Amino acid sequence: MNIKIEKLEQPTASIVEVMNRWENDGQLIPLVRRNRNEEELNKREQVTIEKVKQRLEKQHVYLIYLEDQLVGEINYAVDPHYLYKHEQGSVMLGITIGESEARGKGVGYQAIRQIENEVRRHGLKRVELGVFAFNKHARKLYKKLGYEEIGFIDNFTFWQGEMWRDIRMEKYINRNGSIC
């Protein structure tokens, strides 16, 4: 299985078309986007080249390829205000495996490992991420990768008629790649 990540520098119409499909996939929306109520959960967003360019001003975005097919994206922001634990040199990580045939095959695991190496190369020391409490598969993956729960935000996202927590997890990374 050949997995690679490539930094997104300049969005193209074909990339934006794929991102648009993921952003509006009813199965993905509850997993990757905060929804404050049922109306937001059912809302569809139009991804445009301009919107992706605006994201690139705040985030490092990488495209995930499996056997040369675009199957997801992984991104991080350096020291954003929305970190649970404000510690200089931290990144907030986000990942979407948009294509169903790429899920459950280790693509997310390998992509996160690759992005951790990228973060390390830039001299950053800590990765934080949020995962919705109902997303047991993602929580299991993050624990397997060495992430530990550090807290939560109650009533964060709406799904299946109720509000769910956002569980925050972290991992410290040192220069040689081991967990601190």
Side-chain angles (χ1 to χ4, degrees):
M1 184 168 60
N2 183 24
I3 296 168
K4 65 180 178 180
I5 62 170
E6 292 181 359
K7 186 163 182 149
L8 177 59
E9 302 285 352
Q10 185 65 37
T12 64
S14 61
I15 290 169
V16 168
E17 179 182 336
V18 172
M19 290 177 150
N20 212 17
R21 188 174 70 243
W22 299 338
E23 180 68 29
N24 292 293
D25 182 329
Q27 292 182 340
L28 282 176
I29 289 171
L31 300 173
V32 299
R33 185 173 82 196
R34 178 183 188 188
N35 301 288
R36 292 177 183 91
N37 52 47
E38 190 167 0
E39 182 180 318
E40 282 187 17
L41 181 65
N42 294 320
K43 184 178 178 185
R44 299 303 184 252
E45 297 286 332
Q46 182 67 28
V47 178
T48 64
I49 287 177
E50 189 56 40
K51 285 181 181 179
V52 175
K53 286 179 180 179
Q54 289 171 359
R55 278 186 63 208
L56 292 175
E57 293 172 9
K58 300 173 188 169
Q59 295 180 330
H60 300 269
V61 177
Y62 294 79
L63 302 176
I64 304 169
Y65 291 89
L66 172 61
E67 308 298 341
D68 296 320
Q69 179 192 353
L70 178 58
V71 296
E73 80 153 71
I74 189 164
N75 62 71
Y76 68 89
V78 179
D79 294 324
H81 71 279
Y82 47 86
L83 287 169
Y84 184 83
K85 187 174 172 184
H86 296 278
E87 191 171 310
Q88 196 69 20
S90 295
V91 302
M92 186 67 170
L93 181 73
I95 184 169
T96 300
I97 304 301
E99 302 300 328
S100 60
E101 65 270 13
R103 295 184 204 128
K105 295 185 175 168
V107 173
Y109 181 92
Q110 288 188 36
I112 291 171
R113 295 296 294 187
Q114 288 181 38
I115 212 70
E116 287 172 348
N117 287 331
E118 184 70 19
V119 166
R120 186 179 303 107
R121 275 195 294 276
H122 285 93
L124 300 161
K125 62 182 177 178
R126 182 178 164 275
V127 178
E128 181 175 316
L129 54 83
V131 58
F132 302 142
F134 61 81
N135 193 346
K136 291 179 174 40
H137 293 291
R139 289 171 59 194
K140 182 179 176 183
L141 169 65
Y142 301 142
K143 286 180 182 182
K144 182 178 178 181
L145 283 160
Y147 288 81
E148 297 179 358
E149 292 183 18
I150 57 170
F152 59 86
I153 303 169
D154 265 331
N155 299 311
F156 190 80
T157 195
F158 181 86
W159 186 62
Q160 292 189 332
E162 63 183 285
M163 295 300 290
W164 295 80
R165 286 181 171 171
D166 187 40
I167 299 171
R168 294 299 176 96
M169 303 178 83
E170 73 178 355
K171 180 177 178 180
Y172 285 89
I173 303 173
N174 71 16
R175 297 261 185 250
N176 68 12
S178 63
I179 302 168
C180 298

